[in-house]
Every structure is written in C-alpha cells, then in structure tokens.
Amino acid sequence: VSEKKMFGGLSFMLQGNMACGILKDDIVVRAGSDNFEEFVKEPHARPMDFTGRAMKSMVYVGPRGYASDADLKRWVERGVAYAKSLPAK
C-alpha cells in the first residue's frame, strides 16, 4: 500500500492501483463500473464528479456514510477488493 496525492486529496494505492482516498470531508472509493450503480444507491454515497462530470467507477461517501468504524471498514474493503482485481502496475 502506498499513498499518492490525487484529485486534490490523498489516495491509497494497492499494487499501483487506486483503492480509496480522502478528499476534504469525503472518502473516495474506487468501485469499478460493475459495482458503481450498487454503491451510489448507498446512503450518503454519490458519483464522484471531480471535473463536473460524473466518473462511472468512483464514488464519494460523505461523513455520515462512514461515521462508524464498521462503515469505514466496509467502504475501504470495497475499494481494496476492486484494486486487487486489477493487474499490478
């Protein structure tokens, strides 16, 4: 796992692929296109629209969506699972 500045925040990389990150008060989770629709339906989650245009593989999760340790762990594990599914860079 490594850290990298991205999107004006801090991202956590696994084997060179972004898994999740922090941007202001939100966490960013790399969902992948297969999980995107499921993830954005979760409470306090929304499409990542860093450029003003929604990214169909990343979601923002607001503070209320990761307020408990269990919620934060679940979101991070989702991002890690997706990053692990990708070839190492």
Side-chain angles (χ1 to χ4, degrees):
V1 175
S2 62
E3 298 176 4
K4 184 176 182 178
K5 291 184 180 185
M6 293 176 68
F7 308 114
L10 183 63
S11 294
F12 298 94
M13 314 293 283
L14 181 63
Q15 299 175 338
N17 295 296
M18 182 186 173
C20 57
I22 303 166
L23 183 59
K24 297 183 182 177
D25 291 334
D26 293 329
I27 58 172
V28 179
V29 178
R30 188 156 182 204
S33 56
D34 290 347
N35 297 315
F36 177 79
E37 293 298 328
E38 174 190 347
F39 287 11
V40 295
K41 290 179 184 175
E42 296 268 344
H44 314 291
R46 64 191 189 284
M48 182 179 177
D49 59 353
F50 179 74
T51 62
R53 188 172 168 195
M55 299 176 81
K56 297 290 184 178
S57 63
M58 312 264 277
V59 297
Y60 284 138
V61 181
R64 294 178 69 195
Y66 63 88
S68 73
D69 289 345
D71 288 335
L72 178 60
K73 181 179 178 183
R74 184 172 54 91
W75 281 111
V76 169
E77 286 175 344
R78 288 171 157 180
V80 167
Y82 183 74
K84 281 184 173 180
S85 75
L86 300 171
K89 290 185 177 180

